[in-house]
Amino acid sequence: MRVTRDLPSFAAGEVDVPFVIQGYEEVVATDTAWNEHSHPWHELLWNDHGASTAVVGSRVWCITPTLGLWMPAGQLHSASAVAGTSYRAHFFRHGTVSALPDVPVAVEITPLLRLLLERLEEADLPQHSRAVTEAMVLDVLRPSPQALLVQLPTSALLRPIVDVVRADPSDQRTLTGWAASLGCSERTLTRAFRSETGTSFARWVAAVRAQHAVQLLTLGFEVDVVADAVGYRSASAFGAAFRRTTGMTPGRFRTR
């Protein structure tokens, strides 16, 4: 069963709010999708448990307990989460100043940031303490050098590859094999991938596999099972690729 929630779209700052930072938390009982929408405030998305995704145009971000996503006010986006995911959303009043840009960007959910955000949820927090904590949150927010991001090609030429690899990340076809299947040259596909994604076919596949792996790891699957599910011949090969993409080993990610 999959539930779709319809949310409205607002321009940045269209609705005035009395808060500087306000949190929201929910555990979704069923697989859930949110239609394309936008908020009048900025939003920091992250999870207590599980993995979710957010989509902006042709870009797909994976959100985890350690890697969140900053969504600027007024930015159209859609999202999805599997049953059992405990997600967090912190809303920042439009006009608050931080080091984050006015575009979606990954944010590392450090232990300090998590503690500060959780402190803001204390019902009896004095107003002065709240103001100090909010200022500290804004001070420590930084873009992350790591991002579980996949740029989806949209051309008819690459669509068959996108559909197959995202449905089955263990697919072993090389660019040479795809060129033969699609009746074009390998050079044509190479140029198309570079033009539409800014990266190579191999790196794009690695990013898709990493997103899928993160979802399986957060569900508790063993590393060797995940390695096989996303197309690696060994756990060590998977671990090396996962670390190149995410900056941490699968084992470390699984235990966080």
Side-chain angles (χ1 to χ4, degrees):
M1 179 180 177
R2 184 180 179 90
V3 174
T4 298
R5 301 184 188 178
D6 292 322
L7 297 177
S9 294
F10 293 96
E14 181 177 347
V15 178
D16 191 25
V17 293
F19 58 80
V20 176
I21 303 175
Q22 179 172 294
Y24 176 80
E25 180 178 5
E26 180 184 0
V27 178
V28 293
T30 60
D31 292 354
T32 303
W34 289 262
N35 69 308
E36 190 173 66
H37 62 282
S38 60
H39 305 290
W41 46 71
H42 307 302
E43 183 179 33
L44 177 64
L45 295 163
W46 57 288
N47 297 334
D48 264 337
H49 175 75
S52 54
T53 60
V55 180
V56 177
S58 59
R59 293 171 292 170
V60 181
W61 275 270
C62 188
I63 301 165
T64 75
T66 58
L67 198 60
L69 178 64
W70 176 257
M71 192 66 66
Q75 175 66 67
L76 286 170
H77 62 284
S78 59
S80 63
V82 298
T85 298
S86 175
Y87 77 90
R88 303 285 296 271
H90 279 83
F91 308 124
F92 294 69
R93 186 173 62 204
H94 183 247
T96 53
V97 177
S98 73
L100 298 178
D102 290 328
V103 295
V105 67
V107 173
E108 183 181 0
I109 307 300
T110 63
L112 173 58
L113 178 57
R114 179 187 285 263
L115 285 172
L116 291 171
L117 292 173
E118 289 177 349
R119 187 169 192 244
L120 290 176
E121 300 308 305
E122 296 177 10
D124 56 350
L125 188 65
Q127 186 57 43
H128 173 71
S129 297
R130 176 172 299 277
V132 171
T133 305
E134 288 170 340
M136 292 178 67
V137 168
L138 294 170
D139 185 58
V140 301
L141 279 175
R142 291 290 184 276
S144 172
Q146 303 292 337
L148 286 166
L149 170 63
V150 171
Q151 177 76 41
L152 295 179
T154 58
S155 68
L157 174 64
L158 298 183
R159 175 52 57 186
I161 303 177
V162 173
D163 291 344
V164 168
V165 175
R166 293 194 74 207
D168 179 15
S170 67
D171 189 272
Q172 295 294 317
R173 268 173 282 190
T174 64
L175 205 56
T176 302
W178 275 112
S181 298
L182 298 176
C184 63
S185 70
E186 185 176 343
R187 178 175 293 184
T188 296
L189 291 182
T190 298
R191 285 199 302 264
F193 260 99
R194 182 67 64 179
S195 172
E196 294 189 44
T197 70
T199 190
S200 67
F201 169 75
R203 288 185 178 275
W204 182 84
V205 170
V208 173
R209 288 176 170 177
Q211 284 196 348
H212 191 68
V214 160
Q215 295 176 23
L216 296 178
L217 289 168
T218 56
L219 290 173
F221 286 90
E222 297 293 338
V223 172
D224 56 346
V225 173
V226 176
D228 183 67
V230 296
Y232 291 93
R233 300 185 185 278
S234 68
S236 60
F238 164 59
F242 189 86
R243 185 167 186 172
R244 282 194 300 271
T245 303
T246 66
M248 68 179 68
T249 65
R252 182 181 170 215
F253 181 89
R254 187 173 180 271
T255 58
R256 293 186 71 171

